[in-house]
Amino acid sequence: MEQTTKPSGLSRISPAQWVAIVLAVLAIIFIVQNHHRVDINILMVTITSPMWLVLLIIFVVGWLAGLLTLRTRRARR
């Protein structure tokens, strides 16, 4: 009689999902370690915010700038 084994729950996770899980855990560790507030001076306005939020906003702004630059390049072709 042949035994069929069911794959375990961990074996059903793809490598891309493992990478996503690791990145999510690293993001949570980063947020926990960078919770202190920092002062940001923009023109003559001072904003106080957690460090992780400031870095996230800068990342999103850079990502959007990259998208806009890529779209502009594609439109010229």
Side-chain angles (χ1 to χ4, degrees):
M1 203 178 237
E2 231 178 272
Q3 284 187 339
T4 57
T5 59
K6 282 186 163 183
S8 70
L10 292 178
S11 66
R12 287 187 231 152
I13 299 175
S14 72
Q17 289 172 322
W18 278 115
V19 170
I21 291 169
V22 169
L23 289 175
V25 169
L26 289 174
I28 291 168
I29 292 169
F30 178 81
I31 289 170
V32 168
Q33 290 184 341
N34 290 288
H35 67 279
H36 61 280
R37 294 177 125 8
V38 294
D39 290 337
I40 306 294
N41 297 312
I42 302 172
L43 300 175
M44 289 185 279
V45 177
T46 301
I47 300 170
T48 302
S49 179
M51 173 67 95
W52 67 268
L53 184 60
V54 172
L55 292 173
L56 177 64
I57 291 169
I58 295 300
F59 172 78
V60 170
V61 167
W63 182 71
L64 289 173
L67 279 179
L68 293 173
T69 303
L70 184 62
R71 285 186 182 174
T72 304
R73 262 194 243 151
R74 285 185 182 173
R76 289 183 185 174
R77 288 183 183 179

